[in-house]
Amino acid sequence: MDVLNPPNPPATVEEFRDRLAAVSDSLPRRLRQCADHIAANIDRIAVSTVAELAAGAGVPPSALMRFCQIMGYSGFSELQKMFREAYAPGFPDYTTRLANLKTGGAGSPSALLAEFVEAGRLSLETLAKSADEAALVEAVDILATARTVHIIGLRRAFPVASYLAYVFEKMQVPAMLHDGVGALDHRHALRDGDAVLAITFAPYSVETVAIASDAQARGLPVVALTDRLTSPIARASRAILMVTEVDFGAFRSLSATLAMAMALAVAVGSRRK
Amino acid sequence: MDVLNPPNPPATVEEFRDRLAAVSDSLPRRLRQCADHIAANIDRIAVSTVAELAAGAGVPPSALMRFCQIMGYSGFSELQKMFREAYAPGFPDYTTRLANLKTGGAGSPSALLAEFVEAGRLSLETLAKSADEAALVEAVDILATARTVHIIGLRRAFPVASYLAYVFEKMQVPAMLHDGVGALDHRHALRDGDAVLAITFAPYSVETVAIASDAQARGLPVVALTDRLTSPIARASRAILMVTEVDFGAFRSLSATLAMAMALAVAVGSRRK
DNA sequence: AAGTTTTTAGAATAAATATTCCAAAACGTC
DNA sequence: GACGTTTTGGAATATTTATTCTAAAAACTT
């Protein structure tokens, strides 16, 4: 065990999240996989076994054990005990429904539609449950006081970025969309007093991370909208809005991300009046 | 095992409750203690062990095992498995969490988030109920047989258009995104055998309608993704995918539209293999 | 490129947990 | 109060699950 890790393990879910965010930067590959999977499935810890979680993370059970110890626990059992005690009731059984849907009408367009609808609903639900209010408030603060908001998001994140640009324009918030058109380097557009809103999901695009780091290096605040606390952009950001989307097959929805984006944009817009 | 007990165990929490109520009248002392304690602590089954529950009920573990079998399961593990799968994310459940988010007061960032989450969910629900299966099948047909798919969507529809372009690219469907950059007229890019996928919402952008009409005039099939059957684009389209979004204040969500877009893109992609 | 440290996988082991079984107790019937 | 039936408790066993340990691989350092 590392001397840097305090011996007292997180005693609440909040503390657990904090420690997770704190250590995940400095984790080697397998342990980071553990961290990511645990972060995305924090609500299933109480009802899972080591083997199940390890399989989900794509690591051998022993890696997950090491992860538990790095988090400050004696082992998985101690960690799980905390989650079992901290649990709260209530079961809308969506997991089983989704499983049923998947085995059902495979392939037809309307079956696909049903899948994506369900994935979207689940994502929204997860967002409601896991949203970090403090981070959201901080993000609004940063963007509401910025001179100009620079929005960057490519590939899968681009629709979100362009939507934010649209809403900001409608609300007369000075914003600039960095879209990668022409492979121009827009970094010189950053001025003192500006802020960056960076959106990226695994696999993280280097351009986005680069702009965020650049801004950070120049002392400009960065708000990140991303899918993992362990995202490479996290280090460069002052506020991290984490959104996990449920995916169906290889395709991930954007419902939760857009809901978060809308809330952010409207909050910023009305704060600036 | 009793012949009166059907061999198929309850598969949902509801069924479990029903069976519990049905049998508990005719149970001997110890087994009734089990039934009572289980009924009172139904939400702890997923996170407890046989020993814990037995102790809570004041019976030996073997009594609880017999109880599980009377309920129709092979043992405790099978019963617990059902509850673990049904165990939806524990922390505050969805509705109470939404209520919590709103306590920040109207206009607070988290209240806004709650509203947009709710709007998104409602939109998805409506879509699930009202989707026109025939139109969707026809749209997939048209796009799957097209040489190149021309995607056009501006303003609020642009994020959807760019997302479709992204998914098509990932699925190796030849597609071209008409983005209005430089106010160029891209209509001459349309060739015989191509198809147009036009996305527009009120107030409908003239560029989108123009491209659709042009394609129609030249005999190319047009698929429309829009919000009204009376949309100006409807006349020019061979298949109309109608999606109505719930709006919150002046802001309309995109959840349902994106779910439809994903289903469409994936269906087309896999049809083209 | 050789040596040092860190990280990893998986087999081996330990611990917890579930399940069975049967002798004894309780119950009901005559 | 003896006899068959049902119910019970707990010890014995089986199974699952967690944890440790070590040799090998990978990643750094110099």
Side-chain angles (χ1 to χ4, degrees), chain A residues 28-30 60 62 66:
Chain A
R29 186 166 140 265
R30 285 279 114 109
S62 54
R66 268 179 291 130

Side-chain angles (χ1 to χ4, degrees), chain A residues 25-26 90-91 99 105 130 138 144 154 161 167 178 194 203 210 218 223 262:
Chain A
D25 278 341
S26 58
F91 8 19
S130 68
E138 164 116 48
L154 301 174
V167 177
H178 295 246
D194 290 358
R218 292 177 46 188
V223 172
M262 290 177 82

Side-chain angles (χ1 to χ4, degrees), chain B residues 28-74:
Chain B
R29 197 168 71 92
R30 288 278 114 114
L31 294 181
R32 169 174 301 233
Q33 280 176 259
C34 292
D36 288 347
H37 185 253
I38 290 283
N41 296 73
I42 207 159
D43 52 316
R44 291 220 59 97
I45 295 177
V47 294
S48 301
T49 66
V50 173
E52 283 164 4
L53 288 171
V59 303
S62 53
L64 214 146
M65 289 305 299
R66 262 177 290 130
F67 171 77
C68 295
Q69 285 160 358
I70 284 191
M71 290 293 287
Y73 301 93
S74 68

Side-chain angles (χ1 to χ4, degrees), chain B residues 218-230:
Chain B
R218 292 177 44 187
L220 303 184
V222 175
V223 172
L225 183 51
T226 188
D227 56 353
R228 304 268 167 77
L229 282 176
T230 59

Side-chain angles (χ1 to χ4, degrees), chain A residues 107-152:
Chain A
S108 86
S110 43
L112 275 175
L113 180 59
E115 299 283 3
F116 287 120
V117 166
E118 196 57 18
R121 283 169 47 118
L122 270 173
S123 297
L124 287 170
E125 203 162 296
T126 310
L127 172 61
K129 283 181 194 145
S130 68
D132 182 345
E133 290 182 59
L136 182 54
V137 169
E138 164 116 48
V140 172
D141 256 0
I142 293 171
L143 300 181
T145 55
R147 224 189 43 142
T148 296
V149 176
H150 296 265
I151 308 168
I152 170 83

Side-chain angles (χ1 to χ4, degrees), chain A residues 38 47 65 140 145 152 227 232 271:
Chain A
I38 290 282
V47 295
M65 291 305 299
V140 172
T145 55
I152 170 83
D227 57 351
R271 260 284 283 287

